[in-house]
Amino acid sequence: MPTRELTLTRTFDAPQQLVWNAYTVPEQLARWWGPQGLHTPVEKITVDLREGGAFNLTMVDGEGNEYPSEMTIRSLRPIDELVYGWGGQRGLGGGEITVTLSDDGGKTRLVQHFVGEATDEMFPMMEQGTNEQLDKLVALLSS
């Protein structure tokens, strides 16, 4: 499986702490994690916010099919950076995701960088799904 990289950037009209909480508090994650057509029930989220801690989420589709993601927090600098390793899923061989938050004139700039393995077929779907997921986060933080 080829190694790929994907960097996505969003700017939120919200303070950095609020964006950090959206990524690290299960009740917040449940409100936006997953692309269109999938949701992530809070009872299917585990966040142990420390290096080596679990960062596990199971997305569920409308038919009840589950898509688990087992991840491990590799490093974190609250409220600036979260790095987690991802074990992969259905045509995606896993990799590492770095989420960096920075102040942008009272707003928060988020840069999410993925490096890992993905098939030619799955990489465009991963990019689309991640964009949809971040769009859901924009909508949540705008409300």
Side-chain angles (χ1 to χ4, degrees), residues 4 12 14 25 28 31 36 65 71 80 83 85 90 107 122 141:
R4 315 269 186 173
F12 302 97
V25 175
Q28 294 293 315
R31 296 177 65 193
Q36 294 300 320
N65 298 308
M71 303 172 281
D80 299 315
V83 180
R90 300 180 189 190
K107 297 181 180 190
M122 286 304 296
L141 292 171

Side-chain angles (χ1 to χ4, degrees), residues 10-88:
R10 294 287 192 286
T11 300
F12 302 97
D13 191 8
Q16 203 169 321
Q17 182 69 57
L18 195 61
V19 180
W20 175 261
N21 290 349
Y23 257 92
T24 59
V25 175
E27 293 78 12
Q28 294 293 315
L29 281 161
R31 296 177 65 193
W32 67 274
W33 190 275
Q36 294 300 320
L38 297 175
H39 68 284
T40 306
V42 71
E43 62 273 7
K44 301 228 179 241
I45 299 172
T46 302
V47 178
D48 181 3
L49 202 55
R50 61 178 176 84
E51 287 186 21
F55 188 63
N56 300 330
L57 306 101
T58 299
M59 298 177 292
V60 181
D61 68 18
E63 298 172 4
N65 298 308
E66 295 190 347
Y67 304 89
S69 292
E70 294 185 5
M71 303 172 281
T72 303
I73 296 173
R74 295 194 173 154
S75 69
L76 67 155
R77 287 184 295 119
I79 59 178
D80 299 315
E81 186 176 77
L82 176 65
V83 180
Y84 52 95
W86 178 50

